[in-house]
Structure formats: structure tokens, C-alpha cells
């Protein structure tokens, strides 16, 4: 265990990344527990207000993110105490900010609405991507390279450029998650690029307009995919972040 820790975490300088990821996940989970207790009216917690203004936790999150980011830039070594503290502070700040990502996106307090699910999705996606980087899926290494290794690095860069192009194709096909993961994992980008586009994507509008069979097949596949995964995805989001408030029923206007 000690040898693995030394070789895979300390030598590549990934300890700050591990600390930031841990602080990010723990902060998000603790925050969600607290806000769910506040929502249920339990425990000693309550909303923070100043002068009648509700202070969302994205505000201290921004402060911590800025402090941690500048602290990391100012630190001279990735193994020093300054970098360690900065990584933890930065992770805590990002956890608070992304927990209210939907509020920033919509410029509205949508925390307990359907739109608020986007915060949970972004947090899970971010944690997964950072986990992949921590596991060694980074496109560039950290060790000094010889002339021969630099030659190989050129090939690696070309491969990364190809993966990025495939990810762009996947993104144009309406597959955002596949595109994001494809930047890091080559096979994911390839699968997303060769499969049918979603019917409402730019790719479908551009290339399926005169191909009714392809468009019909894309619509059917998207319907089957959404029917299969929408329920489990919503259940997971509810389990992590809490169930949104039901939408109010709008009565028909009477004339």
C-alpha cells in the first residue's frame, strides 16, 4: 500500500488533486445533508440571512474557490503545506459553488425544483472526471522526457487531438456527457461519434433532414434510451440531492 501511494499519488504530484476531490465530495454531501434538514425543519440549522437578504452558500463558495485557487498558484511546491491547505480550501469552495450550479445557470432560486437537478448532475460529472484524472487518465504526464520520449509525446498529442475531434462530433450529436468523458477516455469518444445522433441535435438537423429513415431511427432510439434510463437517473438524483418540490397544478382559465 505504501509503495502504491508513493508511486501513484506522491511521485506524480497528485496529492493536491486527491485532497481537492475529497474536500469537494465531502463538502457537497455535508451541504446537502444540512439543507435537507433545514427543508424538513429538523436540527439546529437555518438559512443564513443578513439585512433580510438570504445568503446562498454559493457566496462563501466563491470566496473559498478564489482563495484556494490563488493560494495554489502562489504555492511553490505541490508537496508543501500551502498547497495542501489551498487544495482543501479550493475543493470546499467548488463543492459549495457547484451545489448551486442551477441557481447560477438560471439566475433564479431553483434549488428544490426540477431545474435544480442540474446541480446534482454537474457535481456527479465533475467528481467522475476528476476521479479519472486521479486514476491516471490525464493526457500529459509529469516526469521529464528524453528526446525519444518527446517523439512519442508528439504521437500522443496527435491522438489526443483526434479524441477531441471525436468528442466534438459526439457533442454535435447531442451527447454532452459522452463528449465530456470522451476527451479523457478515447473509446467513449469513438462510440459517441459513430452512433446515431439525438433527433434534436445540430448533427441531426444538418444531416438527417433529407434522410427520413435515419431521423425516424434516431427518434426511436432516443425514446427507448430515455424510457430506460430516465427513471433510474431521477431516482439517483433524488437519493443524492433530495426530491424536488412538485410543480404546482395550473387550473385552466375560466372566461
Amino acid at each position: 500500500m505504501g509503495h502504491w501511494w508513493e508511486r501513484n499519488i506522491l511521485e506524480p504530484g497528485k496529492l493536491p488533486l486527491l485532497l481537492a476531490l475529497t474536500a469537494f465530495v465531502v463538502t457537497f454531501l455535508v451541504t446537502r445533508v444540512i439543507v435537507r434538514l433545514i427543508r424538513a425543519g429538523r436540527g439546529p440549522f437555518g438559512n443564513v440571512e443578513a439585512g433580510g437578504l438570504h445568503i446562498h452558500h454559493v457566496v462563501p463558495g466563491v470566496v473559498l474557490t478564489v482563495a484556494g485557487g490563488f493560494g495554489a498558484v502562489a504555492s511553490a511546491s505541490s508537496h508543501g503545506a500551502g498547497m495542501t491547505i489551498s487544495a482543501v480550501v479550493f475543493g470546499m469552495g467548488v463543492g459549495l459553488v457547484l451545489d448551486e450550479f442551477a441557481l447560477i445557470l438560471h439566475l433564479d432560486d431553483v434549488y428544490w425544483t426540477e431545474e435544480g437537478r442540474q446541480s446534482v448532475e454537474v457535481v456527479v460529472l465533475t467528481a467522475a472526471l476528476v476521479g479519472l484524472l486521479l486514476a491516471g487518465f490525464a493526457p500529459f504526464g509529469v516526469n521529464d522526457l528524453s528526446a525519444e520520449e518527446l517523439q512519442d509525446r508528439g504521437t500522443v498529442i496527435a491522438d489526443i487531438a483526434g479524441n477531441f475531434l471525436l468528442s466534438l462530433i459526439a457533442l454535435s450529436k447531442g451527447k454532452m456527457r459522452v463528449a465530456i468523458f470522451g476527451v479523457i477516455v478515447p473509446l467513449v469518444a469513438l462510440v459517441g461519434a459513430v452512433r446515431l445522433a439525438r433527433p434534436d441535435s445540430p448533427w441531426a438537423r444538418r444531416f438527417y433532414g433529407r434522410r427520413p429513415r435515419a431521423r425516424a431511427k434516431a427518434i426511436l432510439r432516443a425514446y427507448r434510451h430515455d424510457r430506460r434510463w430516465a427513471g433510474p437517473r431521477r431516482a439517483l438524483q433524488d437519493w443524492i440531492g433530495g426530491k424536488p418540490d412538485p410543480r404546482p397544478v395550473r387550473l385552466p382559465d375560466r372566461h
Side-chain angles (χ1 to χ4, degrees):
M1 181 63 181
H3 176 72
W4 178 90
W5 177 264
E6 186 78 23
R7 182 175 181 81
N8 294 279
I9 302 297
L10 297 183
E11 284 186 8
K14 292 182 178 180
L15 181 59
L17 184 62
L18 175 62
L19 293 173
L21 175 61
T22 303
F24 165 66
V25 174
V26 171
T27 300
F28 168 74
L29 294 177
V30 171
T31 302
R32 280 284 164 167
V33 169
I34 292 176
V35 295
R36 291 174 77 168
L37 288 174
I38 294 175
R39 186 190 190 193
R42 301 177 181 176
F45 308 104
N47 293 323
V48 179
E49 296 185 356
L53 178 66
H54 174 61
I55 306 298
H56 292 272
H57 50 266
V58 67
V59 176
V62 170
V63 174
L64 291 174
T65 301
V66 172
F70 279 110
V73 172
S75 299
S77 172
S78 62
H79 301 284
M83 177 60 76
T84 299
I85 296 174
S86 297
V88 173
V89 172
F90 180 78
M92 293 171 61
V94 174
L96 292 173
V97 169
L98 292 189
D99 185 51
E100 294 202 305
F101 172 82
L103 181 148
I104 301 173
L105 180 64
H106 296 276
L107 293 179
D108 193 11
D109 190 0
V110 294
Y111 198 87
W112 293 118
T113 67
E114 286 291 327
E115 290 79 5
R117 295 177 184 270
Q118 294 170 326
S119 296
V120 178
E121 186 169 351
V122 168
V123 166
V124 173
L125 184 63
T126 301
L129 288 173
V130 177
L132 287 174
L133 294 175
L134 191 63
F137 284 90
F140 298 100
V142 295
N143 299 324
D144 294 333
L145 302 174
S146 64
E148 183 178 352
E149 289 170 331
L150 285 173
Q151 179 80 22
D152 296 335
R153 179 56 58 88
T155 302
V156 172
I157 293 175
D159 291 341
I160 292 174
N163 293 337
F164 188 72
L165 177 61
L166 293 175
S167 295
L168 286 179
I169 295 175
L171 182 62
S172 70
K173 289 187 172 185
K175 304 174 181 181
M176 184 187 67
R177 301 178 191 86
V178 173
I180 294 174
F181 281 107
V183 175
I184 300 176
V185 184
L187 183 60
V188 174
L190 177 61
V191 171
V194 299
R195 290 178 65 85
L196 279 172
R198 293 189 64 87
D200 55 348
S201 66
W203 184 281
R205 291 194 297 268
R206 174 65 178 83
F207 295 105
Y208 295 170
R210 298 182 179 180
R211 299 170 57 194
R213 291 184 62 182
R215 185 167 184 81
K217 189 174 181 180
I219 293 174
L220 179 60
R221 177 168 292 180
Y223 168 75
R224 288 176 175 174
H225 177 274
D226 293 343
R227 186 179 63 176
R228 179 183 304 167
W229 296 108
R233 183 172 65 247
R234 289 170 64 89
L236 178 62
Q237 291 172 346
D238 291 347
W239 180 74
I240 296 175
K243 192 172 182 179
D245 293 329
R247 294 184 183 275
V249 178
R250 299 184 61 181
L251 298 177
D253 296 332
R254 294 185 179 182
H255 301 285

